[in-house]
Amino acid sequence: MTERNAQQDLRHTDHFGPRGPAVRGTVLVVPGRGETHDTYARFGKRLAADAYRVRVLDAARLDAEDPDGSLTRLGGRIADAVAGTADPDGAVVHPVILVGADTGAVAVAALLGREDGAGAAGLRPDAVVLAGLPAHTSASPSGSWDDELDVRTFCPAHRSTLTDDAAFGRGALDEVVPERILAAAYASEADVPVLILAGDADPLADRDALTRTAKSLPRARLSVVRDAHHDVLNDMQHRSVAAEIVTFLETLRNELVPLVTVESSAW
């Protein structure tokens, strides 16, 4: 397939908020290995209900033989997707936030570490969320479909979504993440606000490496989700994770000053 035809085949899904409230920001979701638009339907609808404009892209495809080219192409796709959310006057609602999962998170972090910010298109988001960043060496989920589901999620609804999705790439977690791109992601010097999300039951995660990365960035937070697996955006704790992301988005709109502080608590 030619590059031009591949571009024509790219798709996305959109989630719009309720009529009435002004749009509070634009969220671009970049899925990871095996994932499809359906994977993030619940997540997109939940953020959209809080008046955020959500667009889910096709999964990130990272080429070990052409890492720079694959990142540049993804950067162009992201820029085009953001531009496509503009209102009739041509204005894109800010803040613009990139949410990457698995290799989507790897790609987003690596892009932000480049001199051009996010690929040849020059898009620079206002903030990013990195969910389920895989480790340099990860436990392989090879085995049955139930084994792969156990690595990904214990949420019954999400397990059904993945199982019923004929387009979902089963076994994709066995694909090796290009080391050069993965190293660039962990060494990223992104200066935009970053929320890193990790499940403490994710066998593909390296908590020590995530902690080092979070501490190395000027404006980053590492939030660990208790008992969550690799698909941290879609596991049993998906409501709390979505709330954490919305809190991050609202804090971002307030120049990273928390809108709610606890003065007294018995728990």
Side-chain angles (χ1 to χ4, degrees), residues 180-227:
R180 181 173 168 184
I181 301 178
L182 191 59
Y186 276 99
S188 176
E189 298 179 354
D191 59 358
V192 301
V194 178
L195 172 62
I196 302 173
L197 291 167
D200 71 359
D202 180 2
L204 306 186
D206 183 340
R207 286 272 295 281
D208 290 339
L210 292 174
T211 297
R212 290 193 297 271
T213 296
K215 289 182 177 180
S216 72
L217 297 171
R219 292 181 290 172
R221 170 178 291 182
L222 171 60
S223 294
V224 178
V225 185
R226 182 173 297 177
D227 296 330

Side-chain angles (χ1 to χ4, degrees), residues 37-143:
H37 302 155
D38 288 348
T39 307
Y40 292 96
R42 180 176 65 182
F43 177 75
K45 291 175 182 177
R46 178 161 284 133
L47 295 191
D50 280 310
Y52 286 90
R53 172 77 158 86
V54 182
R55 174 166 283 186
V56 182
L57 280 65
D58 288 331
R61 299 187 182 279
L62 304 180
D63 185 351
E65 296 182 359
D66 184 20
D68 291 333
S70 61
L71 287 178
T72 296
R73 289 188 290 274
L74 178 60
R77 285 173 50 198
I78 292 173
D80 289 344
V82 171
T85 67
D87 61 25
D89 295 327
V92 173
V93 179
H94 283 257
V96 172
I97 303 96
L98 300 183
V99 178
D102 184 59
T103 49
V106 172
V108 167
L111 277 169
L112 288 178
R114 290 167 49 145
E115 292 183 359
D116 55 6
L123 168 73
R124 188 158 194 82
D126 298 299
V128 299
V129 177
L130 306 176
L133 268 169
H136 285 277
T137 55
S138 302
S140 173
S142 293

Side-chain angles (χ1 to χ4, degrees), residues 15 17 23-27 47-48 50-54 249-250 253:
H15 301 276
V23 177
R24 299 182 67 77
T26 304
V27 178
L47 295 191
D50 280 310
Y52 286 90
R53 172 77 158 86
V54 182
L249 300 182
E250 292 295 304
R253 285 170 49 86

